[in-house]
Amino acid sequence: MMDTPPADLSALTDEELAELSRTEGKAEAVLISRYLSLINRIAYRHCGILDFDDLAQEGCIGLLDAIASFDPAKGASFRTYAQVCIQNRVQKALDKARTDKARLLSESVSLDEIADSALSSEPTPEQAFLSQEWLETLRRRMDELLSPLERKVFFAHLGGFDYQTIADTLHISPKSVDNALQRVRKKLKTIARP
């Protein structure tokens, strides 16, 4: 164990920095800077379901876990241990995203549930912020996914109008209203809720 940190931390080995990081925050910063390119490579290799930034963030958390739990007595080099921790954290995030996506696709989306969740009572400030972000994302995705007719039918349905009233207002058949709502449901299933 080191008594006082040296002035030039960059001269220390990864193992020494990991040990020193328990008492010296600058040692942790040096380790993070050394491993950013590895984190970026791992994140880039696995982007798809999650984007690069999310995976890089998970990789950084994996590195921080490695720094906190590294034990040189177990015989592995810090680099090997850190790489395994980073990869495991990224893989765990990918697995969760796949599970969430599969769950979302298997669930039935109720248009009434979407409206109810948007109108829930007295959220905490954090919930309100997250809900606002989610609603903004939902609005953008709906603009991308839904045709103008589908949007009109969807919002009329959310407004409580029955199929016949919507059909009369838009000068289409009730069957066209039903078909539009079916397409909306299918398209909304592709939008993942946080």
Side-chain angles (χ1 to χ4, degrees), residues 48-49 101 104-105 114 132-148 150-151 154-155 183-194:
I49 293 176
K101 185 175 181 182
L104 180 68
L105 292 175
I114 292 171
Q132 188 61 37
E133 271 191 357
W134 163 243
L135 289 174
E136 185 58 32
T137 300
L138 179 62
R139 187 197 58 75
R140 275 195 321 274
R141 292 291 293 142
M142 285 174 58
D143 286 345
E144 295 168 7
L145 294 172
L146 302 182
S147 71
E150 290 167 343
R151 274 196 299 275
F154 174 66
F155 288 112
R183 289 191 306 273
V184 168
R185 284 184 182 96
K186 187 179 281 190
K187 289 177 181 181
L188 291 181
K189 283 183 183 182
T190 65
I191 304 174
R193 176 147 180 112

Side-chain angles (χ1 to χ4, degrees), residues 75-117:
S77 72
F78 179 80
R79 181 166 188 78
T80 300
Y81 183 69
Q83 186 168 353
V84 169
C85 289
I86 293 165
Q87 288 174 329
N88 287 346
R89 184 68 189 217
V90 167
Q91 190 59 52
K92 185 176 177 182
L94 289 169
D95 292 345
K96 183 181 180 319
R98 284 185 190 106
T99 302
D100 289 348
K101 185 175 181 182
R103 178 188 49 78
L104 180 68
L105 292 175
S106 69
E107 290 177 352
S108 167
V109 173
S110 163
L111 298 180
D112 295 328
E113 287 176 22
I114 292 171
D116 290 344
S117 71

Side-chain angles (χ1 to χ4, degrees), residues 50-75:
L50 292 176
D51 67 11
F52 173 81
D53 291 336
D54 291 337
L55 291 174
Q57 183 177 11
E58 290 296 329
C60 286
I61 293 169
L63 176 61
L64 292 173
D65 290 344
I67 292 169
S69 63
F70 178 69
D71 183 0
K74 296 205 175 172

